[in-house]
């Protein structure tokens, strides 16, 4: 079958939403006033923002992946609506993409995917929508989530569903963006960033689901991931603001199905999932919490600017405090005035990290400083980081300073990106601990302060991943 050629669409100039800002055109909020600096060379829709929402109340649902059982005799037909899901989402893709692995994944993983707590968390949020859905997703090939969106639109034609996907979906042999498009769901391709790495979905501008979980089958069944759904209007509004910023960018274009060329093979690490209580029991769970009077830092990263405070007027109008979000390592100097680094520098007892990619030099220095203050610091990272020069240099330095680093090879990927501080504060999102995540990608994370119940759930997951790991060792030369 001939590969479909990518059609280059003209850039569509869109008006930026009120309160959006640019990498060098900042908004500084001071005494409820907004001032703009005059540096107009950067698109005013790329930069992101950081804000604190104080004393928030909300209902939360939390799920951790993977869900997978060893020696299972289950099959995909045990899932509700299995034949309809397959016909709607997978059949059209495999007809267009000879290299697609969706059929084999369906046979091997669909039973676990449809029963995974993390997939159901997203599906449940979609089925609850009454007015609108706004999704921004890096990787999209999960048939249950695609089908949930399509069914939501069929059942309520007035439901306003729109999806932004990273440009990598144009060549992914398993991507389902063409199926969404063919079922009257508009899709936009984000090309302004090194990667549009977000994984979030806003429901009715009232709730939002986000985390490390890409909307793919293996992210639910073979990778260590986490996701949170939070029912809070302020937090949802901040994610809508960011979605609008990305959509308004000139390099975010309307997707047409003839752009898809289906040329890139799906990722397969070749690492088998190790059966454990986490994979066979906890991976099915959706945990529910009620949150009261919790301060939440909401951060949407893409910052490489000398202004300390960057925040849309619409966010401060919600009663949020705009925060400094300037963080990178340059010419031997650490610039780390952001909620992420502040959480580390304010730690009193412990810092526990589970991370996919770790190359941040400033973070290494801050963790060492925390250790020297008497803080317990422990890290577990994906096996790929055990051989990457940018990671191993940091790991060597951490170990030399008495910090325990473990490597986990129990999953296709340890794809989590979260940190637990003092047993009561949790940071999690799409944000890997790299300079690219800070200054080149479209990312998001939240920090929940002084919420012990949430921290205990993440601590339980972290301990399982950490216990599976083995001590980092210097790679053989």
């Amino acid at each position: 079958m001939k590969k479909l050629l990518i059609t280059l669409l003209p850039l569509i100039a869109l008006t930026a939403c009120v309160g959006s800002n640019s990498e060098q055109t900042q908004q500084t909020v001071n005494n409820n006033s907004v001032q703009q600096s005059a540096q107009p060379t950067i698109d005013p829709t790329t930069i992101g923002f950081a804000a604190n929402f104080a004393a928030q109340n909300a209902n939360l649902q939390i799920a951790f992946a993977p869900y997978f059982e060893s020696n299972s005799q289950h099959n995909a037909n045990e899932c509700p609506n299995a034949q309809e899901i397959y016909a709607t989402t997978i059949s059209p893709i495999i007809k267009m993409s000879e290299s697609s692995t969706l059929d084999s994944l369906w046979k091997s993983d669909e039973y676990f995917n449809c029963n995974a707590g993390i997939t159901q968390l997203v599906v449940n949020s979609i089925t609850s929508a009454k007015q609108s859905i706004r999704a921004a997703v890096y990787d999209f090939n999960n048939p249950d989530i695609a089908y949930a969106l399509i069914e939501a639109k069929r059942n309520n034609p007035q439901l306003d569903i729109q999806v932004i996907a990273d440009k990598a979906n144009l060549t992914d042999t398993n991507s389902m963006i063409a199926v969404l498009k063919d079922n009257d769901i508009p899709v936009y391709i984000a090309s302004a960033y090194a990667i549009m790495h977000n994984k979030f979905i806003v429901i009715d501008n009232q709730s939002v689901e986000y985390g490390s979980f890409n909307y793919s089958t293996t992210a639910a069944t073979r990778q260590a991931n986490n996701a949170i759904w939070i029912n809070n209007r302020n937090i949802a509004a901040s994610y809508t603001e960011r979605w609008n910023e990305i959509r308004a960018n000139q390099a975010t274009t309307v997707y047409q199905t003839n752009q898809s060329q289906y040329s890139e093979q799906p990722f397969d690490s070749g690492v088998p999932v190790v059966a454990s209580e986490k994979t066979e029991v906890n991976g099915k769970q959706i945990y529910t919490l009620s949150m009261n009077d919790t301060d939440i830092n909401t951060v949407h990263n893409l910052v490489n600017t000398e202004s300390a405070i960057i925040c849309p007027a619409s966010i401060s109008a919600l009663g949020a405090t705009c925060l400094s979000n300037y963080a990178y390592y340059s010419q031997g100097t650490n610039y780390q005035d952001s909620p992420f680094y502040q959480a580390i520098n304010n730690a009193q007892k412990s810092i526990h990290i589970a991370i996919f990619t770790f190359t941040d030099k400033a973070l290494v220095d801050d963790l060492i400083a925390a250790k020297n203050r008497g803080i317990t610091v422990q890290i577990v990272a994906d096996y790929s980081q055990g051989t990457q020069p940018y990671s191993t240099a940091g790991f060597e330095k951490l170990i030399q300073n008495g910090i325990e680093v473990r490597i986990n090879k129990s999953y296709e990927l340890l794809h989590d990106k979260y940190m637990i501080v003092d047993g009561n504060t949790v940071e999690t999102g799409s944000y890997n601990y790299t300079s690219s995540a800070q200054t080149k990608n479209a990312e998001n994370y939240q920090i929940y302060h002084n919420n012990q119940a949430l921290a205990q759930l993440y601590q339980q997951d972290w301990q399982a991943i950490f216990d599976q790991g083995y001590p980092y060792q210097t790679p053989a030369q």
Side-chain angles (χ1 to χ4, degrees):
M1 173 181 166
K2 292 184 179 179
K3 294 180 181 177
L4 297 173
L5 297 177
I6 295 178
T7 300
L8 297 178
L9 297 178
L11 294 179
I12 300 174
L14 298 168
T15 303
C17 60
V18 175
S20 61
N21 38 45
S22 79
E23 199 161 349
Q24 292 184 352
T25 303
Q26 305 94 18
Q27 292 183 331
T28 301
V29 178
N30 185 18
N31 296 327
N32 296 323
S33 67
V34 180
Q35 297 177 344
Q36 287 189 331
S37 60
Q39 295 174 325
T41 58
I42 303 298
D43 188 319
T45 62
T46 60
I47 194 163
F49 54 87
N52 178 64
F53 293 89
Q56 297 297 296
N57 301 323
N59 295 317
L60 276 70
Q61 293 186 342
I62 307 97
F64 301 93
Y67 172 50
F68 193 84
E69 296 178 6
S70 58
N71 302 316
S72 171
Q73 300 300 312
H74 292 294
N75 63 72
N77 289 330
E78 297 178 57
C79 296
N81 303 314
Q83 293 183 354
E84 175 66 15
I85 293 173
Y86 186 95
T88 302
T89 63
I90 294 181
S91 289
I93 298 298
I94 61 178
K95 288 177 181 177
M96 295 183 288
S97 173
E98 293 178 345
S99 300
S100 173
T101 61
L102 287 172
D103 184 68
S104 61
L105 273 175
W106 174 267
K107 294 173 182 176
S108 62
D109 284 34
E110 173 56 18
Y111 170 81
F112 305 107
N113 178 47
C114 80
N115 286 288
I118 204 162
T119 296
Q120 285 305 309
L121 185 70
V122 180
V123 169
N124 292 345
S125 70
I126 292 168
T127 57
S128 73
K130 301 293 190 297
Q131 298 176 330
S132 65
I133 296 175
R134 295 290 184 270
V137 186
Y138 174 62
D139 186 13
F140 202 139
N141 63 53
N142 187 303
D144 291 70
I145 296 174
Y147 182 74
L149 288 170
I150 293 166
E151 274 294 279
K153 186 67 174 178
R154 288 174 177 171
N155 293 334
N156 180 5
Q158 302 306 311
L159 183 61
D160 181 9
I161 305 176
Q162 299 183 50
V163 176
I164 296 175
D166 182 70
K167 56 187 177 294
N169 285 270
L170 295 176
T171 53
D172 182 357
T173 61
N174 285 351
S175 176
M176 291 192 172
I177 61 172
V179 168
L180 297 177
K181 171 72 173 178
D182 287 344
N183 282 274
D184 300 321
I185 296 175
V187 178
Y188 309 99
I189 301 299
S191 301
Y193 320 95
I195 54 175
M196 199 292 296
H197 196 236
N198 287 304
K199 311 102 169 41
F200 69 77
I201 188 165
V202 185
I203 306 298
D204 295 336
N205 207 31
Q206 297 292 317
S207 66
V208 60
E209 179 278 325
Y210 78 102
S212 69
F213 175 54
N214 283 308
Y215 295 172
S216 76
T217 298
T218 58
T221 63
R222 297 175 184 267
Q223 300 174 14
N225 278 298
N226 71 96
I228 292 178
W229 172 83
I230 177 170
N231 185 14
N232 179 284
R233 184 183 66 83
N234 290 333
I235 302 303
S238 74
Y239 275 80
T240 299
E241 173 72 31
R242 183 56 175 149
W243 191 96
N244 288 337
E245 285 188 350
I246 298 170
R247 174 68 186 97
N249 190 280
Q250 292 186 74
T252 299
T253 55
V254 177
Y255 166 71
Q256 304 293 340
T257 54
N258 62 357
Q259 289 179 275
S260 293
Q261 66 173 7
Y262 303 110
S263 60
E264 293 184 7
Q265 291 291 328
F267 174 80
D268 182 359
S269 69
V271 175
V273 179
V274 176
S276 67
E277 183 178 357
K278 173 177 168 58
T279 60
E280 296 191 345
V281 179
N282 294 335
K284 294 181 67 174
Q285 307 302 313
I286 297 177
Y287 302 92
T288 300
L289 294 177
S290 293
M291 184 181 73
N292 298 302
D293 295 327
T294 297
D295 288 358
I296 304 174
N297 299 150
T298 296
V299 183
H300 294 271
N301 273 57
L302 187 63
V303 178
N304 187 8
T305 171
E306 294 186 6
S307 175
I309 297 179
I310 307 156
C311 194
S314 58
I315 298 303
S316 58
L318 293 171
T321 302
C322 297
L323 301 176
S324 175
N325 186 23
Y326 177 53
Y328 69 87
Y329 187 89
S330 176
Q331 298 180 353
T333 303
N334 297 347
Y335 297 89
Q336 46 197 343
D337 190 13
S338 72
F340 177 77
Y341 292 107
Q342 289 172 13
I344 293 168
N345 295 332
N346 292 332
Q348 301 297 309
K349 297 184 299 183
S350 61
I351 299 171
H352 294 120
I353 289 173
I355 189 65
F356 175 50
T357 308
F358 187 126
T359 63
D360 184 347
K361 296 178 182 179
L363 176 57
V364 170
D365 292 342
D366 273 9
L367 292 174
I368 292 171
K371 178 69 166 60
N372 291 338
R373 297 196 312 270
I375 309 301
T376 299
V377 180
Q378 294 175 296
I379 300 166
V380 57
D382 182 63
Y383 68 93
S384 64
Q385 300 303 287
T387 58
Q388 298 296 324
Y390 289 111
S391 297
T392 57
F395 290 163
E396 299 281 354
K397 190 173 181 180
L398 291 169
I399 291 170
Q400 290 167 7
N401 284 272
I403 292 175
E404 187 174 9
V405 178
R406 291 193 183 185
I407 300 298
N408 186 298
K409 199 175 182 179
S410 295
Y411 314 105
E412 179 183 72
L413 294 174
L414 192 175
H415 195 247
D416 285 307
K417 310 106 172 32
Y418 68 74
M419 174 173 64
I420 310 150
V421 178
D422 294 339
N424 61 18
T425 294
V426 174
E427 176 273 329
T428 187
S430 70
Y431 171 66
N432 282 304
Y433 300 165
T434 70
S435 59
S436 293
Q438 293 169 359
T439 62
K440 296 180 181 180
N441 302 345
E443 305 275 7
N444 75 90
Y445 67 86
Q446 291 194 77
I447 302 178
Y448 296 82
H449 293 274
N450 299 315
N451 190 305
Q452 189 172 14
L454 180 63
Q456 285 177 342
L457 285 178
Y458 274 83
Q459 190 70 42
Q460 172 183 288
D461 187 70
W462 180 88
Q463 195 67 57
I465 295 171
F466 186 79
D467 289 346
Q468 288 173 325
Y470 53 87
Y472 166 82
Q473 297 180 340
T474 302
Q477 299 298 319

